[in-house]
Amino acid sequence: MKASRDADETPAAAERWRLQPWMGAVLVLVLLFGWAFQRQRAVVRDDGGEGRPVVTIGHWQQQTGTVAGLDAVIAAYREIRPEVIVRQIVVPDRIYQTWLRTQLVGGTAPQIVEVHGGHRQGETVPRYLLALDRWLVVPNPYNAGTPLEGVPWRDTFLDGVSSGYEAALAGHYVWPWAFFTLRLYVNVDLWRAAFGEEPTPEDFEGFLARCVRFREWAHERGLQVQPMASSLYQTHITLDRIGRGVTQALLQANDPVRTLRFNSVTHGGLLLRGRWTMDDPVFQVVERAYLDTTAQLAPGWPQMSREDAMFQFLSGRALTFITGSWEARSLARQASFPVMVLPLLEVSPESPRFRGMQLAPVAEVGDEFTVGFALRRDAPHLDETVDFMRFLFSVPGMELFSPRSGWVSPLATGDPPAELAPFAPVREGLPPGFITRNFGPNSTRLYDAMIYRLAEGEAGGFTQTIARDLPGAVAADQRNFRRHRIAALRRNEVALTARLLGPARIDEVSEGSREAVLVDPLGALFGSQLRQTIEVRWIDEGLQIAAEAER
Amino acid sequence: MTWRRFGVLAVGGGLVAGTAALGGDAASAAGWEMLERFDHRSAARVLRDGTSREAQLGHALAELNSPPHTPRRVAEAEERLRALAGAIPADLVAHAARYHLAMVALWHREPRDVETGLRELRAVAATAEAGVFAQLAFVHAAVLDASAPGLSPAQRAERVPSVEAVGAAVPDPRWRRAAHIAFAELGARWEISPAVVFDHLWAARKLGLAAVPQGANTRYQLARFAEEIGPPERAVALYREFLAAYPRDVRGFDVRRRLARLGAAADPEGEG
């Protein structure tokens, strides 16, 4: 039968069934995909095939020091808990967000994932991550014999894990891994050549004057070097810092809730109520400071990327480079010249043009550039996973990680070692104010679209355009915030009822118990509901006032 | 049928029913746990066949919050909640259902219906048997009332309940502490009166602030409002309390400057 069918086949059909080289390639690809899929599942879900629990950490920190630091912690943990396998997966930062989303939705994410503020928006936290409060309120056993022995784990972190707190959910969801700070990196050889002296910290005005001198020096010698390595990103972080310093007094004058902290709902609402406007003289001063700064950048800076700026600095074509402490090790390793780390150019409160506006140095809050680790909601091997995190975020764990990574420890263990001291957050200062970029996605888009006007070098264009369009952008942002708050209110009311009526019913706080003193999840959830109700009403009123003013 | 066969059938039937009920309870428990962690769609599936009133409430809430959020879904959930709320005599599930009818009006209907929400909340708050839901409803209604848009400062001040009124209506310290902090926030935001804000923050402090998330904000606010209304000695004590509780807070520099302006050292032993 088969023979007769073969005989009936046309030559074309026979050709179709003949093994083609591409079929082999496809087969290999399919096999590879299947192997990778199985391996991923094995890593994330199973026991490594050896009957041992596997804990996996996913992050985007590709720097050698960071990976080596984590490896050192993992190796030390293996000595303590040899039965647990801990692995790290490093995913390039360009694809990390997509990768994280896909893995979480597919249920194949590592138990521990690195996150920053952007990853925590929308439904990611309530849907995929687990609150850490139950572990944070008790001491970390790996701190035994250290100054942090017996201290609730939450309080062993520099910020008390406030950077990991999700107000809408009334819970802590992220262990802070690192508090990065912005610093001025200096090409010491170039500095010495231009000025015949060692680099020293300077304030904003002094630094700008030095940039002018440097340009003149380079021009006289026909050198193609710039005072500052330039890119759109570097411009953003530099101007943000200047603007938020100069608006300290504006924040203090507009702080009805007396927290001395900027809040986009509160301060956006105050703008819609006309409590502060872009007519405030501080915004002209900020614009002037921006123009003076961007005048020192390489032409074409709005089109340049972070990598361009890094290359300018490393190839010796820029005197300075403003970036975060996360780049410190890479810069030191890759630069063929000595690099010195200086404090970021700080506006002096005594400077005549900023007097009464910037009141003190800017305290580095630490939460702007914070990254952390979050725990997947349905993580397998939960006990082992949390135990490893206890070790990582303990005094012995950080003593292994911090020197290798070059990152300042997030733990409250006193001053950092001498080599990391330049990166320690500035505490002797006042919290920063705000710039018009800080009110939500719409106001950010407006600012980002207008920043190019600074490259034209003329006063007025940047601020006037923002002044015209900011109320509309802030109103749109406030409507977004209201939508998010209402979504959280809906969700949390059900969660609150579930805790009151469900199987894990909590009838009364046992007064005086350790948990009652340190954590009150129901009270916190109810408090969060009330605060969000107030914010919704605050936004309602602000939008009404803005609409009436429009009419 | 002999009595013996009847007995066997009865025992067998009882066992089957008991097992089903236990299974139902287990399913119901799983459903509530899913609701607690915001997994509404799975909870709706699990609670669909539950026969207890708790399970029916859970199912209504799960359906209400499952995507997509449509007017029809809201109306159906409202109908189920209304049926549960109408039980006579009213049990805890009935009170919870009524409380959630208020939430439907406030946060689910388009456009939001604050008047109906307030009416439902006040009805629950007025029912002593509603227990915990009466307390939640009292606070919620007062917050909504006092944060209504367009009020004058005097009108708003009248609507913020006094510390004593909150104490009388909300005996549970968990809800009372959250309520005091919320009324202080409301009073501060709308600039009602520093004294009113201080009174509520002070009442919250008496209940303990260690378990309050972002307690640094509350302690800092307390000291700031104390400074505004005087006497300065109390503000000094509260600023020092803040520094002791949050030595690394970003506002430490500001607090030390304020203490210096008040003629006090950050550390009482440094007064010499």
Side-chain angles (χ1 to χ4, degrees):
Chain A
M1 189 73 184
K2 184 175 183 299
S4 70
R5 205 176 76 183
D6 286 347
D8 292 343
E9 278 181 346
T10 62
E15 181 67 21
R16 198 165 59 236
W17 288 105
R18 192 177 297 157
L19 203 59
Q20 300 288 324
W22 60 265
M23 289 182 179
V26 168
L27 189 67
V28 169
L29 274 175
V30 168
L31 287 173
L32 266 176
F33 178 79
W35 173 81
F37 183 73
Q38 281 304 320
R39 187 164 170 73
Q40 172 74 0
R41 289 179 70 84
V43 165
V44 173
R45 295 197 153 163
D46 297 335
D47 57 4
E50 301 160 31
R52 296 158 64 189
V54 176
V55 174
T56 312
I57 301 176
H59 64 86
W60 71 83
Q61 305 296 340
Q62 294 171 279
Q63 306 91 327
T64 320
T66 315
V67 175
L70 263 186
D71 274 341
V73 177
I74 291 168
Y77 187 70
R78 197 179 304 131
E79 300 290 315
I80 305 167
R81 298 281 305 269
E83 77 281 12
V84 180
I85 299 169
V86 184
R87 293 170 179 158
Q88 56 174 321
I89 297 177
V90 187
V91 180
D93 58 353
R94 283 176 189 275
I95 61 163
Y96 187 81
Q97 183 137 2
T98 312
W99 174 85
L100 177 65
R101 181 83 196 152
T102 313
Q103 298 291 318
L104 287 171
V105 171
T108 52
Q111 292 104 316
I112 299 292
V113 288
E114 186 184 8
V115 290
H116 61 53
H119 300 136
R120 288 161 60 178
Q121 285 163 8
E123 296 296 297
T124 302
V125 177
R127 192 166 288 181
Y128 301 113
L129 303 180
L130 192 60
L132 310 174
D133 297 78
R134 74 184 96 157
W135 298 290
L136 291 174
V137 295
V138 293
N140 180 349
Y142 292 110
N143 280 331
T146 77
L148 299 179
E149 179 172 0
V151 179
W153 197 12
R154 182 183 65 187
D155 298 335
T156 67
F157 288 84
L158 269 171
D159 71 342
V161 200
S162 64
S163 55
Y165 185 69
E166 287 290 333
L169 301 168
H172 296 84
Y173 283 79
V174 177
W175 288 285
W177 189 14
F179 301 111
F180 297 118
T181 46
L182 290 181
R183 292 292 178 262
L184 183 74
Y185 296 78
V186 179
N187 178 333
V188 177
D189 287 348
L190 211 44
W191 187 289
R192 283 180 190 142
F195 306 116
E197 61 187 25
E198 292 299 305
T200 47
E202 286 173 309
D203 69 8
F204 176 70
E205 308 276 19
F207 180 74
L208 289 185
R210 190 172 289 277
C211 288
V212 172
R213 283 167 56 202
F214 182 78
R215 278 183 180 284
E216 289 165 0
W217 173 82
H219 182 70
E220 284 164 11
R221 285 157 185 78
L223 298 174
Q224 294 295 312
V225 287
Q226 300 291 333
M228 298 165 79
S230 312
S231 76
L232 184 59
Y233 176 77
Q234 262 59 42
T235 308
H236 269 310
I237 58 177
T238 308
L239 300 189
D240 278 15
R241 178 59 177 263
I242 295 167
R244 296 182 74 196
V246 178
T247 50
Q248 275 177 339
L250 182 70
L251 177 77
Q252 294 217 358
N254 291 282
D255 184 26
V257 291
R258 314 291 198 281
T259 55
L260 209 58
R261 301 293 296 269
F262 170 76
N263 176 285
S264 36
V265 169
T266 305
H267 293 95
L270 289 173
L271 173 77
L272 297 182
R273 287 165 171 82
R275 287 285 302 274
W276 65 272
T277 70
M278 291 290 290
D279 293 335
D280 193 301
V282 73
F283 291 107
Q284 271 74 53
V285 173
V286 167
E287 185 187 61
R288 189 68 256 164
Y290 282 8
L291 286 166
D292 291 349
T293 309
T294 50
Q296 303 308 324
L297 302 177
W301 57 263
Q303 280 76 44
M304 294 177 187
S305 68
R306 293 167 71 165
E307 290 74 18
D308 295 332
M310 176 86 123
F311 182 70
Q312 284 168 42
F313 184 70
L314 288 174
S315 58
R317 290 191 289 118
L319 176 68
T320 62
F321 182 34
I322 293 175
T323 190
S325 48
W326 60 87
E327 306 270 30
R329 279 288 154 97
S330 301
L331 288 172
R333 203 178 54 252
Q334 293 180 57
S336 56
F337 47 82
V339 176
M340 185 180 278
V341 181
L342 294 180
L344 203 58
L345 34 146
E346 186 75 75
V347 169
S348 165
E350 302 309 316
S351 165
R353 66 164 153 167
F354 301 118
R355 193 169 295 147
M357 295 176 179
Q358 176 143 3
L359 305 173
V362 175
E364 288 174 320
V365 183
D367 52 8
E368 290 172 273
F369 296 101
T370 299
V371 292
F373 281 127
L375 179 59
R376 204 182 101 196
R377 180 175 285 287
D378 51 353
H381 310 304
L382 187 61
D383 291 344
E384 290 82 0
T385 304
V386 173
D387 192 63
F388 174 73
M389 296 311 281
R390 280 187 174 131
F391 183 65
L392 173 62
F393 292 124
S394 68
V395 175
M398 277 296 136
E399 280 173 355
L400 291 166
F401 177 76
S402 196
R404 286 169 176 81
S405 62
W407 291 9
V408 176
S409 165
L411 299 184
T413 44
D415 294 333
E419 73 270 20
L420 297 179
F423 306 108
V426 173
R427 292 285 166 198
E428 289 303 297
L430 289 172
F434 58 89
I435 58 169
T436 57
R437 192 172 192 261
N438 299 145
F439 292 93
N442 291 283
S443 60
T444 302
R445 263 196 297 278
L446 171 65
Y447 179 99
D448 290 354
M450 288 304 115
I451 199 169
Y452 299 94
R453 302 292 297 270
L454 293 171
E456 295 166 8
E458 287 176 23
F462 175 71
T463 302
Q464 280 168 14
T465 316
I466 288 185
R468 189 191 64 211
D469 296 340
L470 188 65
V474 168
D477 284 331
Q478 295 273 306
R479 281 191 284 273
N480 270 343
F481 289 133
R482 183 172 61 184
R483 194 163 46 81
H484 289 307
R485 299 246 176 327
I486 290 174
L489 280 160
R490 290 172 181 167
R491 195 170 51 218
N492 289 357
E493 279 302 340
V494 178
L496 191 60
T497 302
R499 290 191 194 179
L500 290 167
L501 294 181
R505 185 182 298 193
I506 306 163
D507 291 322
E508 290 299 328
V509 174
S510 46
E511 293 291 339
S513 72
R514 181 172 192 87
E515 287 70 23
V517 172
L518 288 170
V519 66
D520 170 18
L522 280 175
L525 195 54
F526 185 53
S528 164
Q529 291 297 82
L530 297 176
R531 194 180 53 256
Q532 292 186 90
T533 303
I534 290 169
E535 287 188 341
V536 168
R537 302 284 267 175
W538 171 259
I539 293 171
D540 284 345
E541 188 184 69
L543 290 172
Q544 271 181 24
I545 292 170
E548 280 160 21
E550 187 97 345
R551 278 198 291 272
Chain B
M1 184 188 292
T2 63
W3 280 109
R4 187 175 168 156
R5 283 186 72 186
F6 180 79
V8 168
L9 277 175
V11 169
L15 277 173
V16 169
T19 309
L22 278 176
D25 277 354
S28 173
W32 279 106
E33 278 173 14
M34 288 167 184
L35 286 177
E36 201 182 319
R37 52 174 209 257
F38 316 119
D39 187 358
H40 304 116
R41 216 194 292 243
S42 307
R45 260 196 316 272
V46 168
L47 291 164
R48 189 169 43 213
D49 302 323
T51 50
S52 69
R53 284 173 55 73
E54 280 86 355
Q56 287 172 28
L57 174 67
H59 185 238
L61 296 178
E63 283 287 340
L64 176 65
N65 285 282
S66 296
H69 191 264
T70 60
R72 185 176 162 197
R73 196 182 275 277
V74 173
E76 283 172 1
E78 203 167 356
E79 200 176 311
R80 286 181 194 150
L81 289 171
R82 204 168 292 289
L84 288 164
I88 300 173
D91 56 3
L92 198 58
V93 169
H95 297 304
R98 186 141 201 201
Y99 178 79
H100 278 281
L101 279 171
M103 296 302 134
V104 169
L106 288 170
W107 311 127
H108 291 267
R109 276 197 207 156
E110 294 287 350
R112 286 182 283 134
D113 183 355
V114 178
E115 285 313 309
T116 303
L118 263 174
R119 201 170 49 243
E120 296 285 6
L121 284 173
R122 285 179 179 139
V124 178
T127 313
E129 298 78 41
V132 59
F133 288 100
Q135 298 182 52
L136 301 186
F138 169 85
V139 180
H140 231 123
V143 162
L144 279 165
D145 198 30
S147 60
L151 297 179
S152 70
Q155 287 172 316
R156 216 178 283 285
E158 273 177 21
R159 296 186 184 196
V160 174
S162 66
V163 168
E164 293 72 28
V166 176
V170 188
D172 188 318
R174 285 172 298 179
W175 319 128
R176 196 159 77 242
R177 177 170 46 208
H180 286 310
I181 292 173
F183 290 126
E185 158 89 19
L186 200 155
R189 192 175 280 273
W190 273 281
E191 297 173 285
I192 292 173
S193 140
V196 169
V197 176
F198 177 81
D199 286 349
H200 278 290
L201 289 172
W202 187 253
R205 179 184 172 275
K206 282 185 187 166
L207 293 167
L209 294 177
V212 173
Q214 308 289 283
N217 277 349
T218 310
R219 281 192 190 279
Y220 179 78
Q221 289 172 304
L222 181 62
R224 286 285 304 272
F225 282 104
E227 186 184 350
E228 285 174 38
I229 64 170
E233 295 76 24
R234 185 167 59 186
V236 167
L238 289 170
Y239 278 131
R240 283 175 177 158
E241 208 172 273
F242 172 85
L243 288 176
Y246 301 97
R248 293 177 300 274
D249 190 272
V250 73
R251 288 160 291 204
F253 177 82
D254 173 72
V255 168
R256 286 191 293 277
R257 285 214 317 195
R258 287 177 187 280
L259 280 168
R261 278 205 292 270
L262 290 166
D267 174 7
E269 289 176 11
E271 305 262 84

